[in-house]
Amino acid sequence: GQYPGLKADRLINDDFVPVCSPALREGEQPLREPGDLKYHALLHEMGTQIDWRMWLMAAGVEGIDSSRGPVYSHSSLIIQAAINGEGVALGRTALIIEDLAAGRLVVPFDISLKAEYAYYVVYPPRAVERAKVRAFRDWLLEEAASDQPLAAAAKA
């Protein structure tokens, strides 16, 4: 959010939370505590800043190979794999809000890791003097604020 000579308004933060399908969470090997991940595939997104090793460490879980499980090249693929019940993914709250609200995904544990980055609307300071720019910026901020309750639910 620091851009020399520009104004940056934070839209949303991006946290990483474990997510899976409701059927997987309640299935044959239910997910009641982080240690239960030993019974499930860990889904990985290539090149992400937060990984299972970091999350398991934050959760205080030992004895689980954090590198096991399939690796996906894009966030949409890992989210779809989690929806399909293929395992547990570390979902970015900004990308899973709608799937949580629709019940396609659930958060089995309330441990999240804060991403290094957030989403911003960035513009030259004088640009908001133009009505269309100001209206667009205001609309983006309102939309982002309306998703905040869902983002909070992702952590619950």
Side-chain angles (χ1 to χ4, degrees):
Q2 309 246 345
Y3 303 94
L6 298 173
K7 176 81 170 113
D9 294 320
R10 182 185 300 251
L11 294 172
I12 52 176
N13 292 323
D14 203 13
D15 298 334
F16 286 79
V17 295
V19 292
C20 64
S21 70
L24 186 72
R25 180 184 64 187
E26 303 300 328
E28 191 175 309
Q29 296 288 340
L31 288 160
R32 302 285 182 242
E33 58 186 50
D36 294 335
L37 287 169
K38 65 186 171 195
Y39 302 114
H40 299 277
L42 301 179
L43 308 177
H44 303 269
E45 182 181 347
M46 194 180 321
T48 188
Q49 60 178 301
I50 302 290
D51 61 20
W52 277 111
R53 181 191 59 76
M54 297 164 77
W55 189 91
L56 290 167
M57 193 178 334
V61 176
E62 296 179 3
I64 295 178
D65 178 2
S66 63
S67 65
R68 69 178 167 79
V71 179
Y72 296 85
S73 62
H74 195 272
S75 54
S76 63
L77 298 174
I78 193 171
I79 292 168
Q80 190 59 52
I83 290 170
N84 293 345
E86 296 174 26
V88 184
L90 282 177
R92 293 171 31 197
T93 53
L95 302 179
I96 59 171
I97 288 173
E98 290 181 13
D99 292 312
L100 291 170
R104 292 183 291 268
L105 289 174
V106 293
V107 178
F109 318 113
D110 64 355
I111 301 166
S112 65
L113 293 179
K114 188 163 260 346
E116 183 178 343
Y117 303 105
Y119 292 88
Y120 294 84
V121 57
V122 180
Y123 51 92
R126 296 193 60 176
V128 292
E129 294 173 9
R130 296 175 48 207
K132 289 180 180 181
V133 173
R134 186 174 51 256
F136 180 66
R137 184 223 38 207
D138 292 348
W139 175 79
L140 281 174
L141 291 170
E142 287 174 26
E143 287 295 308
S146 71
D147 279 345
Q148 293 307 311
L150 291 173
K155 296 180 186 178

